Amino acid sequence: MKIKYAEYVRLHRLVTGLSARTVWEVMVNGDGDLDAMIEPLPDEFHPWVRGVAAELTAIVEAQATAIEAAFAAIVAELPDGWGRKEFAAAAVRSEHRGALFSRLDDKDYRPSLWQRVRPEGDRTPHGTKVTEE
């Protein structure tokens, strides 16, 4: 007879449910920091989890940099005394127009960027496919 203690069952569930999406969820939802997620995992999973987190963060940061550059370029081209209408006329041509308006209104556009990088749930440390939720 094989006895599986609660901690074993918890770790098994954590490892078998590990995917790029679960890493993304921890980062987006603030369910805890990445170190807390990694701590109970076997050591061989740590580099994979950190790699996924770094990849997602790099994509979001690159998009944020592009938005800031587009915002600065638009503002630099606008005449003195410009308003929302003039900004809209220039921003409508940008692929980042939604984020540009958030930036104009001093709102945080990063949550929408994180939603855009939501990975498929089938990318796992072993390259295997898991069933979608």
Side-chain angles (χ1 to χ4, degrees), residues 96-128:
H96 306 293
R97 61 186 156 272
L100 288 170
F101 280 101
S102 292
R103 172 71 173 79
L104 178 66
D105 297 335
D106 290 324
K107 294 181 182 174
D108 187 9
Y109 54 81
R110 287 181 185 269
S112 66
L113 299 181
W114 278 102
Q115 291 303 314
R116 290 184 201 166
V117 298
R118 180 178 185 252
E120 295 297 320
D122 60 358
R123 190 169 138 210
T124 66
H126 300 296
T128 58

Side-chain angles (χ1 to χ4, degrees), residues 31-90:
D31 294 337
D33 64 76
L34 203 58
D35 290 332
M37 177 191 184
I38 291 172
E39 190 262 323
L41 293 173
D43 291 346
E44 61 266 20
F45 291 98
H46 294 198
W48 184 85
V49 171
R50 290 193 190 283
V52 169
E55 177 186 332
L56 295 172
T57 301
I59 294 168
V60 168
E61 290 303 317
Q63 291 176 354
T65 299
I67 290 164
E68 291 298 324
F71 183 83
I74 290 171
V75 170
E77 292 178 11
L78 292 174
D80 290 339
W82 61 270
R84 192 170 185 84
K85 182 178 178 181
E86 291 81 11
F87 183 85

Side-chain angles (χ1 to χ4, degrees), residues 1-14:
M1 178 174 11
K2 189 174 188 179
I3 298 174
K4 295 182 180 177
Y5 293 98
E7 180 65 7
Y8 173 86
V9 172
R10 185 184 74 79
L11 286 174
H12 184 268
R13 196 171 289 138
L14 183 62

